[in-house]
Coordinates of all heavy atoms in Angstrom, one line a residue:
C258 N 163.9 82.9 128.2 CA 163.2 81.7 128.5 C 163.4 80.7 127.5 O 163.2 81.0 126.3 CB 161.7 82.1 128.6 SG 160.6 80.7 128.7
W259 N 163.9 79.5 127.9 CA 164.0 78.4 126.9 C 162.9 77.4 127.3 O 162.9 76.9 128.4 CB 165.4 77.7 127.1 CG 166.5 78.5 126.5 CD1 166.5 79.8 125.9 CD2 167.9 78.2 126.5 NE1 167.7 80.2 125.5 CE2 168.6 79.2 125.9 CE3 168.6 77.1 127.0 CZ2 170.0 79.2 125.8 CZ3 170.0 77.0 126.9 CH2 170.7 78.1 126.2
M260 N 162.1 77.1 126.3 CA 160.9 76.2 126.5 C 161.0 74.9 125.6 O 161.3 75.0 124.4 CB 159.6 76.9 126.2 CG 159.2 78.0 127.1 SD 157.7 78.8 126.7 CE 158.1 79.8 125.3
T261 N 160.8 73.8 126.3 CA 161.0 72.5 125.6 C 159.8 71.6 125.9 O 159.3 71.6 127.0 CB 162.2 71.7 126.1 OG1 163.4 72.6 125.9 CG2 162.4 70.4 125.4
P262 N 159.2 70.9 124.8 CA 158.0 70.1 125.1 C 158.4 68.9 126.0 O 159.5 68.3 125.8 CB 157.7 69.5 123.7 CG 158.3 70.5 122.7 CD 159.5 71.0 123.4
G263 N 157.6 68.7 127.1 CA 157.9 67.6 128.0 C 157.1 66.3 127.6 O 156.3 66.4 126.6
A264 N 157.4 65.2 128.3 CA 156.7 64.0 128.0 C 155.2 64.1 128.2 O 154.4 63.4 127.6 CB 157.2 62.9 128.8
D265 N 154.8 65.1 129.0 CA 153.3 65.3 129.3 C 152.7 66.2 128.3 O 151.5 66.5 128.4 CB 153.2 65.8 130.7 CG 153.9 67.2 130.9 OD1 154.5 67.7 130.0 OD2 153.8 67.7 132.1
G266 N 153.4 66.7 127.3 CA 152.8 67.5 126.3 C 152.8 69.0 126.6 O 152.5 69.8 125.8
R267 N 153.3 69.3 127.8 CA 153.3 70.7 128.2 C 154.7 71.3 127.8 O 155.7 70.5 127.6 CB 153.1 70.9 129.7 CG 151.7 70.6 130.2 CD 151.5 70.9 131.7 NE 152.3 70.1 132.6 CZ 152.3 70.2 133.9 NH1 151.6 71.2 134.5 NH2 153.0 69.4 134.7
L268 N 154.8 72.6 127.8 CA 156.1 73.3 127.6 C 156.7 73.5 128.9 O 156.1 74.1 129.8 CB 155.9 74.6 126.8 CG 155.5 74.5 125.3 CD1 155.5 75.9 124.7 CD2 156.4 73.6 124.5
W269 N 158.0 73.0 129.1 CA 158.7 73.2 130.3 C 159.8 74.2 130.1 O 160.5 74.1 129.0 CB 159.3 71.9 130.8 CG 158.2 70.9 131.3 CD1 157.3 70.3 130.6 CD2 157.9 70.7 132.7 NE1 156.4 69.6 131.4 CE2 156.8 69.8 132.7 CE3 158.5 71.0 133.9 CZ2 156.3 69.3 133.9 CZ3 158.0 70.5 135.1 CH2 156.9 69.7 135.1
A270 N 160.0 75.1 131.0 CA 160.9 76.2 130.7 C 162.0 76.4 131.8 O 161.8 76.1 133.0 CB 160.1 77.5 130.7
I271 N 163.2 76.8 131.3 CA 164.2 77.2 132.2 C 164.6 78.7 131.9 O 164.4 79.1 130.8 CB 165.5 76.3 132.2 CG1 166.1 76.4 130.7 CG2 165.2 74.9 132.6 CD1 167.5 75.8 130.6
N272 N 165.2 79.4 132.9 CA 165.8 80.6 132.7 C 167.3 80.3 132.5 O 168.0 79.8 133.4 CB 165.7 81.5 133.9 CG 166.6 82.8 133.8 OD1 167.1 83.1 132.8 ND2 166.8 83.4 135.0
P273 N 167.9 80.4 131.3 CA 169.3 80.0 131.0 C 170.3 80.9 131.8 O 171.4 80.5 131.9 CB 169.4 80.2 129.5 CG 168.4 81.2 129.1 CD 167.3 81.0 130.0
E274 N 169.8 82.0 132.3 CA 170.8 82.9 133.0 C 170.8 82.7 134.5 O 169.8 82.2 135.1 CB 170.4 84.4 132.7 CG 170.5 84.7 131.2 CD 170.3 86.2 131.0 OE1 169.2 86.7 131.2 OE2 171.3 86.8 130.5
A275 N 171.9 83.1 135.1 CA 172.0 82.9 136.6 C 172.0 84.3 137.3 O 172.0 84.4 138.5 CB 173.3 82.2 136.9
G276 N 171.9 85.4 136.5 CA 171.9 86.7 137.1 C 171.0 87.7 136.3 O 170.4 87.3 135.3
Y277 N 171.0 88.9 136.7 CA 170.3 90.0 136.1 C 171.3 91.0 135.5 O 172.2 91.4 136.3 CB 169.3 90.7 137.0 CG 168.4 89.8 137.7 CD1 168.2 89.9 139.1 CD2 167.6 88.8 137.1 CE1 167.3 89.1 139.8 CE2 166.7 88.0 137.7 CZ 166.6 88.1 139.1 OH 165.7 87.3 139.8
F278 N 171.1 91.4 134.3 CA 171.9 92.5 133.7 C 170.8 93.6 133.4 O 170.3 93.7 132.3 CB 172.7 92.1 132.5 CG 173.5 93.1 131.9 CD1 174.7 93.6 132.6 CD2 173.2 93.7 130.7 CE1 175.5 94.6 132.0 CE2 174.1 94.7 130.1 CZ 175.2 95.1 130.8
G279 N 170.4 94.3 134.4 CA 169.2 95.1 134.3 C 169.5 96.6 134.1 O 170.6 97.1 134.4
V280 N 168.6 97.3 133.5 CA 168.7 98.8 133.4 C 168.4 99.4 134.7 O 167.4 99.2 135.4 CB 167.6 99.3 132.3 CG1 167.7 100.8 132.2 CG2 167.9 98.6 131.0
A281 N 169.4 100.3 135.1 CA 169.3 101.0 136.4 C 168.3 102.1 136.4 O 167.4 102.1 137.3 CB 170.6 101.4 136.9
P282 N 168.3 103.1 135.5 CA 167.4 104.2 135.6 C 165.9 103.8 135.6 O 165.5 102.9 134.8 CB 167.7 105.0 134.3 CG 169.1 104.7 134.0 CD 169.3 103.3 134.4
G283 N 165.2 104.4 136.5 CA 163.8 104.0 136.6 C 163.5 103.0 137.7 O 162.4 102.7 138.0
T284 N 164.6 102.3 138.2 CA 164.5 101.3 139.2 C 164.5 102.0 140.6 O 165.5 102.6 141.0 CB 165.6 100.3 139.1 OG1 165.6 99.7 137.8 CG2 165.5 99.2 140.2
G285 N 163.4 102.0 141.3 CA 163.3 102.7 142.6 C 162.4 102.0 143.5 O 161.8 100.9 143.2
A286 N 162.2 102.5 144.7 CA 161.4 101.9 145.7 C 159.9 101.8 145.4 O 159.2 100.9 145.8 CB 161.5 102.7 147.0
T287 N 159.4 102.7 144.5 CA 158.0 102.6 144.1 C 157.8 101.8 142.9 O 156.9 101.0 142.8 CB 157.5 104.1 143.8 OG1 158.4 104.7 142.9 CG2 157.4 104.9 145.1
T288 N 158.8 101.8 141.9 CA 158.6 101.1 140.7 C 159.0 99.6 140.8 O 158.3 98.7 140.3 CB 159.4 101.7 139.5 OG1 160.8 101.7 139.9 CG2 159.0 103.1 139.2
N289 N 160.1 99.3 141.5 CA 160.5 97.9 141.6 C 161.3 97.7 142.9 O 162.5 97.6 142.8 CB 161.3 97.6 140.4 CG 161.5 96.0 140.2 OD1 161.4 95.3 141.2 ND2 161.6 95.6 138.9
P290 N 160.6 97.7 144.0 CA 161.4 97.5 145.3 C 162.1 96.2 145.3 O 163.2 96.1 146.0 CB 160.3 97.6 146.3 CG 159.0 97.4 145.6 CD 159.2 97.8 144.2
S291 N 161.6 95.2 144.7 CA 162.4 93.9 144.7 C 163.7 94.0 144.0 O 164.7 93.5 144.5 CB 161.5 92.8 144.0 OG 160.4 92.4 144.8

């Protein structure tokens, strides 16, 4: 997460990545169906 102060005083954030480089083990239909 990259956060930058906006003109309104809030922190505005982008995800600098376009994909996921995720850990496979433990990823299943019950733990993380998405």
Side-chain angles (χ1 to χ4, degrees):
C258 167
W259 288 359
M260 291 182 282
T261 303
D265 59 0
R267 293 188 290 177
L268 292 183
W269 288 74
I271 59 168
N272 169 16
E274 299 188 294
Y277 307 131
F278 184 69
V280 176
T284 302
T287 53
T288 58
N289 197 332
S291 291

